[in-house]
Amino acid sequence: MKALKNIFSLLVAIAFNYQANAQSKVVNTVADQKSYWQISARGGYDFPLFQEDFQYIDYKGGLMGGISVNHYWKWIGIQADFDYIQNKPVTNIGDSTSYYTTGPNGLTNYPLDVVTQRTTLTRMFAGVGPSFKLQSKNNKLTAELALLGGMALINGGEILVEGKNSTLTPQNVPLTYHSGFDNEKALTGKAQARFNYFFTNSLGINVGAYYMNHFGVNESQKNQLLIDNGYLANNTNGGLYYGAMGTIQNPDINEGNPIFSNFKTESISRVYDGQGTNQREKIKLSSVGVFAGLTYRIMPKKQKPIVETKTVVTTPIVQRYNLQITAKDKYTKEVLPNTDVALKNSKGEVLKTGKTDAFGAVSFKDILADDYSIAGILNTVALDSASAKTGDFKNGETLRKEILYTDRNFIVTGKVFMCNTSTFLTGTNVILENNDKAFRKSTLSDSEGNFKFQMPEAGVYKLYSKKDNYFSQIEEITASNYNRDKSLFVKLEICAEETDCGKAINLKNILFDLDKFVIREDAKKELNKLVRFMQDNSLVKVELGSHTDSRGSAKYNLTLSQKRANASVAYIISQGIEKSRIAGKGYGESKLLNECADGVDCEEAQHQLNRRTEFKVICPK
């Protein structure tokens, strides 16, 4: 695979070098502008990389042939391949050796002539997948890469190696054997790099290389060579996959003629004993190959030019260029999406406008070489402008310029959601304020709940939303917790809960000291959220309810909860809410949220759930 990558890298380098040296006067042909078909035939040599445990058998390279059909749209396309590959099984046992230990008249180390019988291993592959190309300006040179998947049919590769001596009985001694493969179908992947050179607009030559991998190919259960040579009965269903240099106990083997019984080295075998022990293996077959061939490109028909019979008018070719602008933050170097960009001519007239993408870039295409100024605005703040001069534009190159955001304010951005859901709230008034600095900004969330503010580098700010009949959470932002030189954006989410009349909404963190009903400082922050809700909804009337757990007597808990409710109401009235708009009610332990009633043993967390302060909008009569 590494060799294939190196080959493709070389082809790409050659293609780019050829393109760079192409004469500027050559114009692009139709192949650059429209899709086209391509057919390639090839022949070459395949080098197997089989991963198997055979000690005395190997598979050698062989011839291959194939055809490819491509359809391209610009630089990307689809390719279909068919390949036919042959490999030959061989043995590494020498032509003459001494394996037989006992011969006539007591002779030992009797020499045997090694004889090999085999069937050619054939592989047929059909697959399809994406293809990619690089192409020179004059279209004569292309480098292609294809990644294909498909099926392969694998057959043959059976090999039997025997030692023979005419004076011995029996004359044939089996040395090693593999059953090969019997029309096995395997999922297959192929990566191919190809280089084409076209002599004409259509006809060319190709050279290339490939890597092919078959995923798990079962060994054959047929033993035809063993049957043909009398080692197995004709009615044998198969059971020997691989064996070498030893005795194999197999009920399918003819009695009186045991295979692999006369050798000095250790036995190696894979068999099926007919009783459930099956040593058949999936062999990983892969190979690399090189090839050369012909390529034919089927070009689209050119439109015939319209010829005027009276007057021939020629229009001079005007060179046009592309300009790409990137918006960045000066201090953090962050790219800035959704920045409005305008391209102006030397008179200050706006010629083109655009908005930067997720990478902070926007492109203006097909423009003339001229003197331009480039302006940008992000969230009503102007970026430092840039300029493009006539001499900056180069043939065949995109001119790139940057505009910088230099404002020291942070940008607070985020979404408004309905609490405990993924539903965003549109058209919601989102407010960022700092009462100490008399700072207040507001904006409406867009169709996807998004909002955006600028926030100074110093101070503590509150972020909340305002929408009729919605109770908003309040986020507190301390600007000094952020470093403007490292971050421009402060990203937050806020949620609001719908206040249907009669629906109880829990006010979190309204805590009282044991047996006390004095409002603590930490409870005022949460009560202030209710104050703001009532200020924003001036016609709403609210009941504020206080609840206790079941510990203590019911009478005591009812009295304590009423005092706490009254204290909470008094604080809210002190913040400017009319007394007629809010009422306090103590429920004691009468509305427990769980089973922790009198006499029930509960943990502190369960009791805490019952100790709560809630409010609900009073339904109109």
Side-chain angles (χ1 to χ4, degrees):
M1 192 64 180
K2 183 177 181 181
L4 183 63
K5 292 179 180 178
N6 292 336
I7 292 171
F8 183 70
S9 298
L10 178 61
L11 298 181
V12 171
I14 295 173
F16 272 120
N17 184 65
Y18 192 92
Q19 178 175 344
N21 289 283
Q23 295 181 359
S24 59
K25 66 179 181 180
V26 178
V27 296
N28 293 345
T29 65
V30 181
D32 267 339
Q33 303 166 5
K34 296 183 179 180
S35 61
Y36 64 89
W37 289 90
Q38 178 176 289
I39 301 174
S40 301
R42 59 185 172 274
Y45 199 83
D46 181 87
F47 302 89
L49 304 173
F50 299 173
Q51 297 182 16
E52 28 75 12
D53 57 357
F54 310 148
Q55 293 189 11
Y56 304 102
I57 297 173
D58 200 359
Y59 287 85
K60 295 299 182 182
L63 298 177
M64 63 79 59
I67 188 169
S68 297
V69 178
N70 294 77
H71 187 265
Y72 278 109
W73 301 270
K74 293 287 186 178
W75 57 271
I76 191 171
I78 189 170
Q79 178 169 320
D81 268 15
F82 176 81
D83 292 297
Y84 180 83
I85 303 170
Q86 288 188 342
N87 300 108
K88 182 171 69 174
V90 297
T91 180
N92 55 16
I93 298 175
D95 291 337
S96 182
T97 184
S98 298
Y99 291 106
Y100 203 88
T101 58
T102 303
N105 303 319
L107 294 177
T108 60
N109 296 327
Y110 210 84
L112 300 173
D113 292 327
V114 176
V115 178
T116 302
Q117 300 179 59
R118 57 178 154 247
T119 60
T120 301
L121 175 63
T122 61
R123 293 181 284 148
M124 289 186 290
F125 166 72
V128 67
S131 59
F132 312 89
K133 70 167 182 173
L134 289 173
Q135 185 167 288
S136 64
K137 282 187 175 182
N138 61 4
N139 300 310
K140 288 186 175 295
L141 201 63
T142 60
E144 299 175 278
L145 175 65
L147 303 173
L148 304 105
M151 295 293 295
L153 183 66
I154 302 170
N155 189 48
E158 185 180 14
I159 181 171
L160 172 63
V161 183
E162 300 172 285
K164 292 192 175 184
N165 191 300
S166 60
T167 63
L168 300 178
T169 303
Q171 293 183 356
N172 297 345
V173 178
L175 301 180
T176 186
Y177 171 81
H178 179 235
S179 61
F181 310 93
D182 180 31
N183 287 319
E184 281 292 320
K185 300 178 182 65
L187 287 173
T188 301
K190 179 185 178 184
Q192 177 178 287
R194 183 172 59 205
F195 177 80
N196 301 287
Y197 179 80
F198 291 91
F199 299 102
T200 68
N201 202 34
S202 298
L203 185 62
I205 59 173
N206 67 72
V207 294
Y210 65 84
Y211 171 79
M212 182 180 294
N213 184 72
H214 310 287
F215 296 93
V217 184
N218 282 311
E219 295 171 294
S220 173
Q221 293 180 302
K222 296 182 179 180
N223 303 124
Q224 193 60 48
L225 288 179
L226 294 180
I227 294 172
D228 292 344
N229 288 274
Y231 294 112
L232 294 178
N234 287 331
N235 61 353
T236 300
N237 292 324
L240 174 62
Y241 308 119
Y242 170 67
M245 312 294 282
T247 300
I248 295 174
Q249 300 299 327
N250 186 340
D252 288 335
I253 297 188
N254 291 340
E255 293 184 5
N257 190 18
I259 299 180
F260 305 98
S261 61
N262 302 297
F263 306 101
K264 302 175 183 178
T265 57
E266 180 182 1
S267 168
I268 302 169
S269 65
R270 286 203 303 275
V271 298
Y272 175 60
D273 61 8
Q275 300 177 0
T277 302
N278 193 340
Q279 300 179 35
R280 185 186 188 193
E281 291 186 353
K282 286 182 178 292
I283 306 298
K284 183 177 181 181
L285 305 184
S286 61
S287 66
V288 296
V290 294
F291 58 83
L294 296 175
T295 300
Y296 183 76
R297 190 164 52 187
I298 305 172
M299 306 299 296
K301 293 182 179 180
K302 296 182 180 180
Q303 294 182 349
K304 294 182 178 179
I306 299 175
V307 180
E308 295 287 342
T309 58
K310 295 181 179 180
T311 305
V312 177
V313 179
T314 59
T315 302
I317 297 175
V318 179
Q319 185 67 45
R320 293 183 177 271
Y321 304 89
N322 295 336
L323 173 62
Q324 184 183 80
I325 297 105
T326 302
K328 289 186 177 180
D329 180 50
K330 175 182 178 180
Y331 308 103
T332 66
K333 306 306 178 186
E334 293 176 86
V335 296
L336 304 179
N338 298 316
T339 301
D340 292 308
V341 180
L343 184 67
K344 302 178 182 179
N345 62 17
S346 56
K347 298 179 181 179
E349 299 169 337
V350 176
L351 302 179
K352 290 178 177 288
T353 61
K355 190 180 290 289
T356 58
D357 59 19
F359 302 99
V362 62
S363 294
F364 297 129
K365 298 182 178 181
D366 297 326
I367 63 175
L368 299 174
D370 201 350
D371 292 340
Y372 299 101
S373 63
I374 305 160
I377 295 179
L378 177 63
N379 198 33
T380 71
V381 177
L383 281 69
D384 284 2
S385 61
S387 62
K389 302 298 182 182
T390 302
D392 294 339
F393 294 91
K394 306 295 181 184
N395 288 338
E397 297 180 5
T398 296
L399 179 60
R400 291 175 171 81
K401 294 290 182 177
E402 288 185 356
I403 52 176
L404 297 179
Y405 181 87
T406 60
D407 193 277
R408 291 295 299 185
N409 288 326
F410 291 104
I411 296 178
V412 179
T413 182
K415 285 180 178 285
V416 188
F417 288 92
M418 188 178 294
C419 290
N420 302 316
T421 73
S422 59
T423 303
F424 46 74
L425 295 176
T426 64
T428 301
N429 192 16
V430 184
I431 300 165
L432 180 70
E433 66 180 17
N434 181 323
N435 293 330
D436 295 335
K437 293 179 176 289
F439 175 93
R440 191 175 192 273
K441 289 187 176 182
S442 65
T443 187
L444 291 178
S445 61
D446 64 15
S447 60
E448 295 183 352
N450 296 302
F451 62 86
K452 188 183 295 183
F453 290 105
Q454 284 186 293
M455 182 183 74
E457 287 187 272
V460 179
Y461 300 85
K462 292 180 180 179
L463 180 69
Y464 62 95
S465 66
K466 179 180 177 181
K467 189 177 180 70
D468 288 345
N469 300 321
Y470 277 84
F471 177 68
S472 173
Q473 297 298 319
I474 300 176
E475 296 291 337
E476 189 172 270
I477 312 170
T478 302
S480 60
N481 290 340
Y482 302 89
N483 186 341
R484 180 61 184 85
D485 292 318
K486 295 182 178 180
S487 177
L488 169 61
F489 295 100
V490 177
K491 298 180 180 180
L492 293 171
E493 291 180 352
I494 56 175
C495 77
E497 189 168 358
E498 191 171 12
T499 57
D500 294 333
C501 69
K503 174 185 175 182
I505 295 178
N506 188 21
L507 294 172
K508 302 175 182 178
N509 303 319
I510 306 296
L511 304 176
F512 294 88
D513 293 329
L514 183 63
D515 293 333
K516 303 293 184 182
F517 51 87
V518 177
I519 299 297
R520 291 174 19 174
E521 288 298 319
D522 55 1
K524 292 180 180 179
K525 288 185 178 181
E526 193 72 16
L527 289 173
N528 286 337
K529 296 180 183 180
L530 180 55
V531 172
R532 188 177 301 280
F533 168 74
M534 297 186 71
Q535 290 172 341
D536 293 340
N537 297 269
S538 58
L539 300 180
V540 167
K541 294 183 178 181
V542 166
E543 178 193 283
L544 191 146
S546 179
H547 302 261
T548 69
D549 59 35
S550 63
R551 292 177 293 187
S553 69
K555 181 178 180 181
Y556 175 81
N557 287 335
L558 184 62
T559 301
L560 179 61
S561 65
Q562 186 62 54
K563 290 179 178 179
R564 288 177 172 176
N566 292 340
S568 299
V569 168
Y571 174 79
I572 291 172
I573 293 173
S574 73
Q575 301 303 303
I577 301 301
E578 296 177 10
K579 183 178 180 179
S580 60
R581 294 180 58 204
I582 185 166
K585 183 174 179 60
Y587 288 93
E589 58 183 88
S590 63
K591 292 190 176 184
L592 300 177
L593 296 178
N594 53 32
E595 70 279 5
C596 297
D598 291 336
V600 178
D601 186 18
C602 290
E603 297 180 354
E604 175 59 28
Q606 294 173 288
H607 287 302
Q608 179 64 45
L609 183 63
N610 292 318
R611 297 195 302 273
R612 65 196 187 278
T613 300
E614 299 174 336
F615 80 90
K616 59 185 177 181
V617 174
I618 299 174
C619 300
K621 294 183 180 179

